[in-house]
Amino acid sequence: MSNRQSTKQTATAARPTLAEQTTEKPEQAEATDSEHTVAKGESLDDIAEKTGVPAAQLQRLNAIKRPDLIWSGMNLRLK
C-alpha cells in the first residue's frame, strides 16, 4: 500500500471569496465587450444605458427573473 497523497484539486479551490468578488473595481472587472460586471449601486437600467443593450434583453440573456435582484460582482452576458 502506498503513502502517496492525492493531488486532486476541487473546483472550489480557485473560487474567489465573497470579499474578493465585491471589492473589485469595475474597470478591472470588465472582462470583454460581450460581458459586463455589475458595479456597486448599478441597476439593470443603468447597465442597459451604458452598454446599449435593452434591459429586457439583459434579463433574457442572463435568466434574471427579478431585475431588482442583481449584485455587484455579478457577470452579465451582453450578447
Side-chain angles (χ1 to χ4, degrees):
M1 188 188 261
S2 173
N3 286 337
R4 293 176 31 195
Q5 292 181 348
S6 173
T7 58
K8 182 179 177 183
Q9 294 181 353
T10 63
T12 58
R15 186 182 208 176
T17 65
L18 181 58
E20 291 170 333
Q21 292 175 5
T22 57
T23 57
E24 286 184 358
K25 294 182 180 175
E27 60 272 8
Q28 292 175 336
E30 196 67 40
T32 65
D33 63 346
S34 64
E35 290 183 346
H36 176 82
T37 302
V38 179
K40 185 177 180 179
E42 268 188 320
S43 70
L44 204 58
D45 289 333
D46 295 334
I47 297 165
E49 187 175 319
K50 286 179 185 177
T51 62
V53 179
Q57 184 175 350
L58 290 172
Q59 277 188 260
R60 273 193 311 277
L61 286 170
N62 295 284
I64 298 171
K65 294 187 188 324
R66 293 189 50 197
D68 57 323
L69 292 180
I70 63 170
W71 56 89
S72 62
M74 182 180 189
N75 287 324
L76 299 178
R77 290 179 47 206
L78 301 176
K79 297 180 181 178

